[in-house]
Amino acid sequence: MTSLPIKLVAGLGNPGEKYIATRHNIGFDWLDRLADRLLVSFSPETRFRGLCARVTQPDHDIWLLKPQTYMNVSGMSVGALCRYYKIIPEQVLVIHDELDLLPGAIKLKFGGGTGGHNGLKSIVTDLSSQNFWRLRIGVGHPGNRNQVVDYVLHPPRKEEFLLIDEAIEHSMLVWSLIAQGDFAAAMQQLHTQ
């Protein structure tokens, strides 16, 4: 399953000091780790309402994007960049927190529903498509759906943080496969930890 190469990686989160290190900001954390490895830095891009970095590849560039629109309207930022650079949904990878996976679990998948994730809902609406890649990083579930908002807006417990950090580090090992569109190999390596 070699697919189209990725041209945009969007990490989801909320801007601002009070959201740093919260479960909902795992997408930002993942992108920061990748940017450090690739030796690129983010800068504000007003037209995309986000922080952007460009990764130069031999055959195409990959944009890294941290929307600064707040989670629930992430699609405004993702959609603006996609329209500007004519990037189709199949060339987009979204990194996000996942309540349905235990802390430390990480799954790569294509398409599907949003699982109630407001950031994904916004992106699906703005792209008019569910056909984009997702890297789902498990944060666990509080056990009561009425506690979800408070839960994702707080940092994980220390033992959860260590598991999540390990999963993010493990996922960095498949970046080169993801970048070239070899998702079958990336999933095999990622899902057999």
Side-chain angles (χ1 to χ4, degrees):
M1 182 205 307
T2 301
S3 303
L4 295 168
I6 288 298
K7 291 191 176 178
L8 168 62
V9 182
L12 302 189
N14 286 308
E17 297 260 330
K18 73 178 189 174
Y19 298 109
I20 291 173
T22 62
R23 292 177 178 96
H24 230 14
N25 273 37
I26 280 179
F28 282 7
D29 298 341
W30 193 93
L31 271 189
D32 287 338
R33 183 98 47 110
L34 181 64
D36 286 347
R37 284 178 174 254
L38 299 176
L39 304 175
V40 297
S41 54
F42 290 93
S43 57
E45 284 285 349
T46 310
R47 66 184 157 194
F48 306 137
R49 300 179 185 199
L51 301 175
C52 295
R54 182 189 293 203
V55 178
T56 304
Q57 303 258 106
D59 50 352
H60 69 282
D61 289 343
I62 299 175
W63 287 97
L64 308 182
L65 172 67
K66 296 196 288 186
Q68 299 296 290
T69 53
Y70 289 95
M71 180 67 80
N72 293 357
V73 286
S74 299
M76 291 169 61
S77 179
V78 172
L81 193 146
C82 285
R83 284 187 292 277
Y84 188 85
Y85 289 110
K86 297 178 175 49
I87 297 171
I88 60 173
E90 292 82 1
Q91 295 177 304
V92 175
L93 171 64
V94 176
I95 316 295
H96 66 91
D97 58 305
E98 179 58 67
L99 290 166
D100 292 335
L101 294 175
L102 292 173
I106 192 162
K107 298 288 179 191
L108 181 62
K109 70 176 266 192
F110 181 76
T114 63
H117 194 291
N118 289 329
L120 290 179
K121 284 181 189 175
S122 176
I123 293 168
V124 166
T125 299
D126 206 279
L127 297 182
S128 299
S129 176
Q130 296 181 333
N131 295 328
F132 54 88
W133 289 92
R134 302 106 188 270
L135 185 65
R136 305 158 63 218
I137 302 173
V139 295
H141 196 285
N144 181 335
R145 67 180 183 171
N146 296 324
Q147 296 172 348
V148 164
V149 172
D150 187 56
Y151 180 77
V152 297
L153 295 179
H154 279 85
R157 296 190 312 267
K158 184 178 179 183
E159 64 274 16
E160 293 172 339
F161 171 81
L162 293 172
L163 291 170
I164 291 166
D165 187 66
E166 197 175 287
I168 291 173
E169 193 60 31
H170 178 68
S171 69
M172 291 292 130
L173 302 176
V174 300
W175 165 249
S176 60
L177 295 170
I178 291 171
Q180 62 197 30
D182 194 348
F183 289 99
M187 285 189 278
Q188 182 179 14
Q189 190 173 329
L190 192 62
H191 300 167
T192 54
Q193 303 190 42

